[in-house]
Amino acid sequence: MAYIVKYIKDFSDTELVKQACSRELRLGYKIMVFSHTDNTCGLEMENVAFVFCDNPTEQAILSAKKLYAEKCQFYVKRAVYSVDPVVYSEAVKLKELDYESAQELSVNGYNEISYDDFNLAKRNSVRMEIMSLTDCEGTTIKEVTTMDENVIKSMSKDTDILVVTLTEIPDRKGSTYNIFRTLSEADVFVDSIMLPAANSGQQDISFCVRKEDKCKVQQLLWDRQEQLQFENLFVSEDVAKISVMGAGFHTQKGIATKVLQVLYENDINIMMIFTSEVKISLVIEKSQADRAIHAIHKNLIGR
């Protein structure tokens, strides 16, 4: 008999839980449902095994692998959208997403499912479906997604950052390493780093940290100014990081150019830019963040 494995986060409405299982039961599947121990209840259904444990998401993925389950469904608050649907009315639900893009989302605002869970599913080749109990149309997470004209799939906004800039650092071996070793030893998370080419034997470095670390970073670096040999330290607080995500950035030409064109046409200045195979991140003024998301979504996602 074929299996379907489910992780259900919320058991407050057992009728919705029953409905989530009934659809596949009618098709002849056996079902395993995993949830947290504090959701333990007396719910019983024929051909449905309820498992309440400390690591239900991990157990659901591993069980789906072991049972060769046709589906591994995660019922959380909501499926995956192009932008936060609570904040942006133009948000559209994504039908499918690749593992790498899902992982990027999990560290850029989508906190329904962890990076580790997406990584575990990828390593075990478990195809995931993310949905809610009130909406059975979910988002499929798999190895390869169908390529369409909209390479950009989703966006996120992070306003809990600030930019630290150190100026006139000697351009010699170990200078950059010593700066970031100092921050690492103090448990400061550095999100992004910009290191322009050195000029006349000196260089500036800019990087992003969490706002909560502002005082720690300033005191730490000023205390070691002589050792680290920078001339000055500047902090930019009214900033936001916009991340544009999607599969195929490394194979599709002109994606970054299109994003930059939209921002240019909307008079939005860019302070920093970082790229990867699945993401383009831009640091801009905080006051322009929502306008940037609306413009990029309208021109490159919602067409």
Side-chain angles (χ1 to χ4, degrees):
M1 182 177 288
Y3 276 88
I4 288 180
V5 174
K6 299 175 184 284
Y7 160 72
I8 299 180
K9 183 177 182 179
D10 183 10
F11 263 67
S12 60
D13 191 329
T14 54
E15 287 302 315
L16 287 178
V17 174
K18 288 180 180 179
Q19 291 175 24
C21 296
S22 297
R23 289 186 287 268
E24 286 87 12
L25 287 175
R26 288 193 293 267
L27 296 174
Y29 289 97
K30 291 189 71 174
I31 298 173
M32 289 193 70
V33 176
F34 291 85
S35 193
H36 300 276
T37 53
D38 55 6
N39 283 329
T40 302
C41 64
L43 185 60
E44 293 184 3
M45 299 179 70
E46 186 176 358
N47 287 325
V48 180
F50 292 96
V51 180
F52 300 96
C53 56
D54 291 331
N55 299 298
T57 56
E58 176 183 330
Q59 292 303 314
I61 294 168
L62 294 177
S63 294
K65 173 71 172 181
K66 181 179 180 180
L67 296 169
Y68 299 97
E70 290 194 16
K71 297 179 182 179
C72 184
Q73 299 174 323
F74 274 51
Y75 289 82
V76 290
K77 186 177 180 180
R78 62 175 172 86
V80 184
Y81 284 74
S82 55
V83 286
D84 188 344
V86 177
V87 180
Y88 303 100
S89 60
E90 64 265 47
V92 295
K93 185 190 300 180
L94 302 182
K95 293 183 179 180
E96 59 181 32
L97 203 63
D98 63 282
Y99 291 116
E100 287 80 5
S101 297
Q103 287 173 308
E104 286 291 347
L105 274 176
S106 69
V107 295
N108 285 278
Y110 184 77
N111 54 14
E112 295 291 329
I113 301 175
S114 72
Y115 179 97
D116 290 339
D117 286 333
F118 284 129
N119 187 47
L120 183 62
K122 178 184 177 181
R123 287 191 285 109
N124 286 278
S125 300
V126 172
R127 180 167 168 162
M128 304 172 72
E129 291 184 3
I130 305 172
M131 60 194 73
S132 71
L133 287 173
T134 56
D135 184 1
C136 62
E137 294 293 328
T139 303
T140 299
I141 311 297
K142 56 183 182 178
E143 187 64 48
V144 179
T145 62
T146 303
M147 295 300 293
D148 56 36
E149 63 180 47
N150 290 337
V151 176
I152 297 174
K153 298 294 184 181
S154 58
M155 300 178 63
S156 67
K157 177 182 71 173
D158 185 0
T159 58
D160 188 31
I161 65 165
L162 51 82
V163 176
V164 178
T165 300
L166 303 179
T167 65
E168 299 180 41
I169 304 164
D171 179 28
R172 63 168 177 260
K173 183 179 179 179
S175 295
T176 303
Y177 163 68
N178 287 330
I179 291 170
F180 292 106
R181 182 189 64 179
T182 299
L183 295 170
S184 177
E185 290 174 350
D187 293 324
V188 174
F189 176 73
V190 177
D191 183 47
S192 305
I193 302 170
M194 185 171 70
L195 181 63
N199 181 27
S200 301
Q202 294 181 323
Q203 61 188 173
D204 298 342
I205 295 177
S206 294
F207 53 91
C208 298
V209 299
R210 313 313 300 176
K211 284 185 175 179
E212 64 187 33
D213 289 330
K214 174 187 174 183
C215 294
K216 179 198 288 189
V217 169
Q218 286 181 304
Q219 181 174 349
L220 180 66
L221 294 178
W222 278 125
D223 287 347
R224 302 193 185 184
Q225 181 184 17
E226 184 175 349
Q227 174 189 344
L228 300 176
Q229 296 186 303
F230 61 88
E231 179 65 25
N232 214 332
L233 183 157
F234 301 97
V235 174
S236 301
E237 294 189 69
D238 294 324
V239 298
K241 183 178 72 171
I242 303 298
S243 294
V244 179
M245 290 160 281
F249 280 13
H250 61 300
T251 59
Q252 298 289 318
K253 295 180 179 179
I255 304 302
T257 302
K258 292 178 181 178
V259 173
L260 298 177
Q261 179 182 356
V262 170
L263 297 183
Y264 165 73
E265 291 174 348
N266 285 270
D267 297 320
I268 297 173
N269 186 50
I270 302 168
M271 301 170 62
M272 302 170 70
I273 182 169
F274 313 92
T275 64
S276 72
E277 291 185 351
V278 295
K279 181 174 70 171
I280 300 171
S281 292
L282 310 120
V283 177
I284 61 177
E285 291 181 14
K286 183 178 178 180
S287 61
Q288 297 181 326
D290 286 334
R291 189 154 59 89
I293 286 181
H294 287 301
I296 294 172
H297 198 286
K298 176 182 178 181
N299 288 276
L300 301 179
I301 299 179
R303 291 183 299 179

